[in-house]
Amino acid sequence: MGFDTTEGFALELDRKDGLRPFRERFYVPQGKIYMDGNSLGLLSRDAEATLLNVLREWKELGIGGWLAAEPSWFYLGEELGKLQAPLVGAAPEEVVATSSTTVNLHSLISTFYRPEGRRGKILADELNFPSDIYALQSQLRLRGLDPAADLVLVKSRDGRTLEEEDIVAAMSEEIALALFPSVLYRSGQLLDIERLTREAHARGIIIGFDCSHSVGSVPHQLSAWEVDFAFWCTYKYLNSGPGGIASLYVNRRHFGRQPGLAGWWGYRKDRQFDMRLEFEPAPSAAGWQIGTINILSAAPLYGSLHLFAEAGIDRVRAKSLQLTSYLIYLVDETLAKPPYNFSVGTPREDGRRGGHVAVEHEDAVRICEALRARGVIPDFRPPSVIRLAPVALYNTFHDVWRTVQHLKAIIDRGEHERFHRERDAVS
Ligand SMILES: *Cc1c(COP(=O)(O)O)cnc(C)c1O
């Protein structure tokens, strides 16, 4: 679509935005432009209400809350799975909210990684989030294998993105299991999940995806694409709060398998309290729960997901794409040439982009500091990426326009030169 660089144009886009009323449902930090929803989404009034409700129920019901709370704590993991199913394109029983992202990765790898004969290696990529790689390495070591030999990492040609054809070319008969991110955490590239799944299955490879950077921003069809398993965090685009409960998906053809990391919370619910010593997993994704659900970290997600049900993920995606293409346009028009020298590291095709834009600059660390001093919240990823996530439910086109004006002013005035080149412990 045709954009222009005027402020009036940004305001006009906001006037036409059908999702605009949702912004009022969030606590947007006063006087700030929040562009970091891909690291920690903002609190909504809906999420706050369901968290406060759990505290009230705990006060009034004590242990009775496991069944008498609304929704009941005992079934909350399954209920949150059902509410997320439309966001990932799965049946309600294929999704459950449980544990944390990296723990779910361990649990799924320990279930689905079955090295056999020559087919013994794991395939991943060198751009994935380090925690995923650490988990894969430790899973290999646990089985007496050597990550240097048994973890094959697909290389990036440009240090930013992955070519699907390179991934497919690495799917040899030595690979037992493949794991990729849906959206790459740094560049924001969205991989072709459907194609990768089809190619993996044609070669007898089990494939899973880390959807931390796509759920709540990009629609999925995990069931229709026959993805074997997936997992994601909910504190990014799903706005469940810091350390909020994570979630996982298991395709129904795998129901009834023994989970690699069994625990009583994955027992079939109707007999869980029989306390028998033979483990009988729930015949659904719920079988991959391990221990008692963390109700306090799950409660905000319940409110937040109702907001997504109201907005609809397709409308969220449409606005998100409009926001990110507008941001890319403004960087190209305003900030690409000297003395600004910013560039965009995110794929420009809509179908290859998640919800954030990697704006690159060789002075990115200091520019991020200067942005914060001006009340814009970005985040920094080494070596040179300023990640900006204009979030459909609470950011405006005017936020995007003003962010670009701030970047321009920082360079015009040399404001970043006042800051150190080292980043903080959390960036
Ligand atoms: C955010 C993120 C995680 C986070 O893992 P935690 O266990 O929640 O700390 C993992 N993988 C990817 C790709 C992420 O983007």
Side-chain angles (χ1 to χ4, degrees), residues 252-273:
R252 58 166 14 113
R253 71 179 170 281
H254 299 303
F255 289 176
R257 273 199 189 217
Q258 285 291 323
L261 302 183
W264 81 311
W265 217 257
Y267 209 89
R268 33 183 301 186
K269 275 272 181 280
D270 54 336
R271 302 210 195 125
Q272 183 175 336
F273 276 82

Side-chain angles (χ1 to χ4, degrees), residues 100-102 128-129 132 185 210 212-213 233 235-236:
S100 73
T101 320
T102 309
N128 202 345
F129 192 70
D132 293 29
Y185 79 100
D210 181 336
S212 292
H213 270 281
C233 62
Y235 48 76
K236 292 171 180 161

Side-chain angles (χ1 to χ4, degrees), residues 130-285:
S131 191
D132 293 29
I133 302 298
Y134 305 153
L136 295 176
Q137 291 166 337
S138 73
Q139 285 286 329
L140 288 165
R141 282 193 204 100
L142 259 178
R143 296 170 199 242
L145 298 168
D146 172 14
D150 299 308
L151 179 59
V152 179
L153 295 182
V154 176
K155 294 230 174 330
S156 165
R157 298 184 193 185
D158 63 358
R160 298 178 178 86
T161 55
L162 299 169
E163 296 295 326
E164 277 87 357
E165 63 179 89
D166 293 347
I167 297 177
V168 174
M171 291 177 173
S172 73
E173 64 269 24
E174 296 191 330
I175 304 297
L177 177 145
L179 175 75
F180 291 94
S182 50
V183 168
L184 275 61
Y185 79 100
R186 219 166 3 194
S187 68
Q189 178 191 8
L190 170 62
L191 289 174
D192 187 340
I193 299 173
E194 181 178 19
R195 174 177 170 198
L196 295 178
T197 304
R198 193 173 58 238
E199 300 284 2
H201 287 170
R203 291 162 179 77
I205 298 170
I206 291 263
I207 187 162
F209 288 88
D210 181 336
C211 296
S212 292
H213 270 281
S214 59
V215 174
S217 160
V218 177
H220 310 66
Q221 292 297 332
L222 296 181
S223 271
W225 298 334
E226 301 188 350
V227 170
D228 292 292
F229 66 90
F231 55 92
W232 53 91
C233 62
T234 66
Y235 48 76
K236 292 171 180 161
Y237 291 103
L238 291 183
N239 313 313
S240 73
I245 193 166
S247 296
L248 61 81
Y249 149 92
V250 174
N251 187 284
R252 58 166 14 113
R253 71 179 170 281
H254 299 303
F255 289 176
R257 273 199 189 217
Q258 285 291 323
L261 302 183
W264 81 311
W265 217 257
Y267 209 89
R268 33 183 301 186
K269 275 272 181 280
D270 54 336
R271 302 210 195 125
Q272 183 175 336
F273 276 82
D274 291 358
M275 304 290 188
R276 293 174 347 124
L277 293 185
E278 305 83 67
F279 181 66
E280 216 186 317
S284 64

Side-chain angles (χ1 to χ4, degrees), residues 3-7 9-10 323-336 344 397-405:
F3 293 122
D4 78 42
T5 57
T6 63
E7 183 169 22
F9 187 78
L323 283 162
T324 51
S325 33
Y326 179 52
L327 173 54
I328 291 170
Y329 165 84
L330 290 177
V331 171
D332 284 347
E333 291 294 311
T334 320
L335 297 174
V344 171
F397 291 90
H398 196 221
D399 286 344
V400 172
W401 185 86
R402 286 191 298 155
T403 298
V404 171
Q405 301 311 305

